[in-house]
mmCIF file of all heavy atoms in Angstrom:
data_model
loop_
_atom_site.group_PDB
_atom_site.id
_atom_site.type_symbol
_atom_site.label_atom_id
_atom_site.label_comp_id
_atom_site.label_asym_id
_atom_site.label_seq_id
_atom_site.Cartn_x
_atom_site.Cartn_y
_atom_site.Cartn_z
ATOM 1 N N GLN A 47 203.592 25.907 188.873
ATOM 2 C CA GLN A 47 202.803 24.750 189.125
ATOM 3 C C GLN A 47 201.352 24.930 188.728
ATOM 4 O O GLN A 47 200.734 24.031 188.104
ATOM 5 C CB GLN A 47 202.822 24.367 190.614
ATOM 6 C CG GLN A 47 201.931 23.252 191.017
ATOM 7 C CD GLN A 47 201.977 23.045 192.550
ATOM 8 O OE1 GLN A 47 202.694 23.682 193.268
ATOM 9 N NE2 GLN A 47 201.163 22.098 193.013
ATOM 10 N N ASN A 48 200.780 26.110 188.990
ATOM 11 C CA ASN A 48 199.375 26.419 188.656
ATOM 12 C C ASN A 48 199.220 27.004 187.286
ATOM 13 O O ASN A 48 198.089 27.230 186.868
ATOM 14 C CB ASN A 48 198.795 27.381 189.680
ATOM 15 C CG ASN A 48 198.736 26.711 191.089
ATOM 16 O OD1 ASN A 48 198.571 25.572 191.252
ATOM 17 N ND2 ASN A 48 198.930 27.619 192.083
ATOM 18 N N GLY A 49 200.289 27.237 186.554
ATOM 19 C CA GLY A 49 200.164 27.765 185.226
ATOM 20 C C GLY A 49 199.793 29.259 185.221
ATOM 21 O O GLY A 49 199.110 29.770 184.286
ATOM 22 N N GLY A 50 200.203 29.981 186.231
ATOM 23 C CA GLY A 50 199.928 31.396 186.349
ATOM 24 C C GLY A 50 199.535 31.746 187.781
ATOM 25 O O GLY A 50 199.550 30.970 188.680
ATOM 26 N N LEU A 51 199.186 33.005 187.942
ATOM 27 C CA LEU A 51 198.716 33.490 189.232
ATOM 28 C C LEU A 51 197.354 32.950 189.604
ATOM 29 O O LEU A 51 196.533 32.636 188.682
ATOM 30 C CB LEU A 51 198.674 34.976 189.274
ATOM 31 C CG LEU A 51 200.005 35.773 189.199
ATOM 32 C CD1 LEU A 51 199.821 37.228 188.982
ATOM 33 C CD2 LEU A 51 200.746 35.547 190.508
ATOM 34 N N PRO A 52 197.070 32.789 190.849
ATOM 35 C CA PRO A 52 195.703 32.321 191.229
ATOM 36 C C PRO A 52 194.682 33.324 190.799
ATOM 37 O O PRO A 52 194.909 34.538 190.702
ATOM 38 C CB PRO A 52 195.773 32.240 192.758
ATOM 39 C CG PRO A 52 197.221 32.232 193.132
ATOM 40 C CD PRO A 52 197.917 32.938 192.018
ATOM 41 N N GLN A 53 193.473 32.796 190.534
ATOM 42 C CA GLN A 53 192.401 33.669 190.153
ATOM 43 C C GLN A 53 192.061 34.683 191.217
ATOM 44 O O GLN A 53 191.986 34.322 192.368
ATOM 45 C CB GLN A 53 191.162 32.807 189.859
ATOM 46 C CG GLN A 53 190.043 33.520 189.139
ATOM 47 C CD GLN A 53 188.930 32.567 188.798
ATOM 48 O OE1 GLN A 53 188.852 31.453 189.296
ATOM 49 N NE2 GLN A 53 188.057 33.009 187.895
ATOM 50 N N GLY A 54 192.012 35.928 190.844
ATOM 51 C CA GLY A 54 191.744 37.027 191.817
ATOM 52 C C GLY A 54 192.944 37.766 192.277
ATOM 53 O O GLY A 54 192.889 38.772 193.031
ATOM 54 N N ILE A 55 194.177 37.335 191.886
ATOM 55 C CA ILE A 55 195.426 38.013 192.209
ATOM 56 C C ILE A 55 196.046 38.465 190.908
ATOM 57 O O ILE A 55 196.283 37.623 190.051
ATOM 58 C CB ILE A 55 196.335 37.133 193.032
ATOM 59 C CG1 ILE A 55 195.744 36.776 194.396
ATOM 60 C CG2 ILE A 55 197.729 37.837 193.223
ATOM 61 C CD1 ILE A 55 196.620 35.942 195.266
ATOM 62 N N SER A 56 196.289 39.759 190.780
ATOM 63 C CA SER A 56 196.920 40.255 189.563
ATOM 64 C C SER A 56 198.442 40.428 189.732
ATOM 65 O O SER A 56 198.954 40.478 190.864
ATOM 66 C CB SER A 56 196.323 41.617 189.198
ATOM 67 O OG SER A 56 196.710 42.596 190.122
ATOM 68 N N LYS A 57 199.144 40.428 188.662
ATOM 69 C CA LYS A 57 200.592 40.659 188.637
ATOM 70 C C LYS A 57 200.916 42.016 189.288
ATOM 71 O O LYS A 57 201.855 42.090 190.099
ATOM 72 C CB LYS A 57 201.133 40.616 187.208
ATOM 73 C CG LYS A 57 202.621 40.942 187.131
ATOM 74 C CD LYS A 57 203.060 40.873 185.719
ATOM 75 C CE LYS A 57 203.758 41.985 185.093
ATOM 76 N NZ LYS A 57 203.897 43.276 185.410
ATOM 77 N N GLU A 58 200.111 43.026 188.980
ATOM 78 C CA GLU A 58 200.388 44.361 189.528
ATOM 79 C C GLU A 58 200.284 44.323 191.071
ATOM 80 O O GLU A 58 201.089 44.927 191.765
ATOM 81 C CB GLU A 58 199.411 45.392 188.951
ATOM 82 C CG GLU A 58 199.693 45.690 187.506
ATOM 83 C CD GLU A 58 199.140 44.570 186.553
ATOM 84 O OE1 GLU A 58 198.300 43.794 186.919
ATOM 85 O OE2 GLU A 58 199.704 44.571 185.394
ATOM 86 N N ASP A 59 199.264 43.670 191.619
ATOM 87 C CA ASP A 59 199.090 43.564 193.074
ATOM 88 C C ASP A 59 200.266 42.833 193.702
ATOM 89 O O ASP A 59 200.757 43.291 194.744
ATOM 90 C CB ASP A 59 197.793 42.861 193.416
ATOM 91 C CG ASP A 59 196.578 43.667 193.104
ATOM 92 O OD1 ASP A 59 196.679 44.920 192.954
ATOM 93 O OD2 ASP A 59 195.478 43.087 192.983
ATOM 94 N N THR A 60 200.675 41.774 193.056
ATOM 95 C CA THR A 60 201.806 40.993 193.574
ATOM 96 C C THR A 60 203.067 41.811 193.634
ATOM 97 O O THR A 60 203.782 41.954 194.597
ATOM 98 C CB THR A 60 202.012 39.716 192.764
ATOM 99 O OG1 THR A 60 200.809 38.959 192.771
ATOM 100 C CG2 THR A 60 203.129 38.854 193.316
ATOM 101 N N VAL A 61 203.379 42.462 192.504
ATOM 102 C CA VAL A 61 204.571 43.301 192.373
ATOM 103 C C VAL A 61 204.500 44.474 193.396
ATOM 104 O O VAL A 61 205.535 44.780 194.035
ATOM 105 C CB VAL A 61 204.753 43.793 190.892
ATOM 106 C CG1 VAL A 61 205.835 44.857 190.840
ATOM 107 C CG2 VAL A 61 205.117 42.639 190.026
ATOM 108 N N LYS A 62 203.349 45.046 193.541
ATOM 109 C CA LYS A 62 203.189 46.177 194.456
ATOM 110 C C LYS A 62 203.504 45.748 195.878
ATOM 111 O O LYS A 62 204.206 46.477 196.596
ATOM 112 C CB LYS A 62 201.733 46.688 194.351
ATOM 113 C CG LYS A 62 201.530 48.041 195.032
ATOM 114 C CD LYS A 62 200.134 48.481 194.945
ATOM 115 C CE LYS A 62 199.645 48.662 193.520
ATOM 116 N NZ LYS A 62 198.299 49.161 193.396
ATOM 117 N N GLN A 63 203.038 44.582 196.302
ATOM 118 C CA GLN A 63 203.294 44.097 197.677
ATOM 119 C C GLN A 63 204.799 43.796 197.873
ATOM 120 O O GLN A 63 205.309 44.154 198.923
ATOM 121 C CB GLN A 63 202.444 42.875 197.948
ATOM 122 C CG GLN A 63 201.001 43.191 198.099
ATOM 123 C CD GLN A 63 200.213 41.944 198.445
ATOM 124 O OE1 GLN A 63 200.628 41.171 199.314
ATOM 125 N NE2 GLN A 63 199.092 41.712 197.810
#
Side-chain angles (χ1 to χ4, degrees):
Q47 175 185 356
N48 296 327
L51 289 169
Q53 192 173 17
I55 296 181
S56 70
K57 175 180 127 343
E58 290 77 20
D59 290 339
T60 303
V61 168
K62 193 181 300 184
Q63 289 184 44

